[in-house]
Amino acid sequence: MKQTILIATPSYLLQKGLASIIQDIAESELIFINDINEVNHYLEGNNTNCVIIDQCLIENKEQRALLFQLKDKNYYIDLVSDEKYLPAANKFDAAIKYDDPKEKVLPILEKLINKYDKPEDTASLLSKREKDVLKLVALGYTNKQIAEKLFISTHTVISHRKNITSKLGIKTVSGLTVYAVLNNLIPKDHIQ
Amino acid sequence: MKQTILIATPSYLLQKGLASIIQDIAESELIFINDINEVNHYLEGNNTNCVIIDQCLIENKEQRALLFQLKDKNYYIDLVSDEKYLPAANKFDAAIKYDDPKEKVLPILEKLINKYDKPEDTASLLSKREKDVLKLVALGYTNKQIAEKLFISTHTVISHRKNITSKLGIKTVSGLTVYAVLNNLIPKDHIQ
DNA sequence: TTTAAAATCCCAATATTTAGGGATTTTTTA
DNA sequence: TAAAAAATCCCTAAATATTGGGATTTTAAA
């Protein structure tokens, strides 16, 4: 099952940046809110796995206390504009600075995703071989070409495609292509 | 023709955020650099349309002077962490703050894209009708279904597809689907 | 060690697409 | 107003994909 991540920051650049990075790692449901009171309200009424919150939204102690009421249920990531706003001791599980480079940001988000990523997600619906076939379908190869590439007969390719179709409920090449692109099975680049 | 945008910031979040927003507006070539000297070196040896540079990378006057040597050729966007770093008078064409909301960021980038987007880009390669057909192909319809939807014969659909194929040089359904998705001809949602 | 899933292969009939020719009628545009 | 481009329609043969049946062998899990 997809995990839900709440992202609370007024910055559009950071919203889109976090979204882009997170979706590259694994498909997740992202909620964007930029009002601290709405964040607390949302957390009370909905299940989330992680809260990424911009330090600049927290104005007082009451808000802060409310925020951490559900500490046990969620993973909290602090988002700060500058090192100086990093409190020495705090309740956050991790912190990301606005200007952190790739090497600092990626591990934190990857850890978060792996922590909550369930094994039975979309990708594992398909067997290894089915994914191989799907990839090549999405890359525009014919069944015959796929058979040659995988050293199997076209019959087998067709069988795999039948299984893919029934598992995914997607029967058209274009639908499978979109699925493959969205599930990062193929690079988004040009296709022959 | 695609435009080239140089993005200079150490922040991975901002890099990915800018990339995500810009690519949503129009396909562009993005160059990421996070060293001011490399930026200047790159600008001398390559053609760009726009430079988005993080204020924090500019350490002294010499670097600043070098940066604006090609002022006439490029559109410059300033990226600042805080209002206080915004110089009263400067050579930048626009400025974006780290924590700007969508309403401030989008117009600036849209203006930039439209400024340089050539009329003869990918979308206008195809005629109106060809785009109609391409859309439906990418949505997984068969030629027969497309014919019914557009109130034309399947022969016409096939003719349009032949023209699309020769104009785009893409002959597979999956390739056309990726093209359609990348060119925002269809919503990225689920397809039957 | 059974059982179930995965991976492999086969056939035949039908549906669909592709590639190679055309041709005619509207619209645009120079 | 000519000429060019766009949109429409037609044909046939060959190539591919889809559907709806099977079956066998490996591999993994209970």
Side-chain angles (χ1 to χ4, degrees), chain B residues 127 129 152-153 155-156 159-160:
Chain B
S127 72
R129 213 51 170 165
I152 57 181
S153 83
H155 302 297
T156 309
S159 286
H160 285 310

Side-chain angles (χ1 to χ4, degrees), chain A residues 127 129 153 156 159-160:
Chain A
S127 72
R129 214 51 171 165
S153 84
T156 310
S159 286
H160 286 310

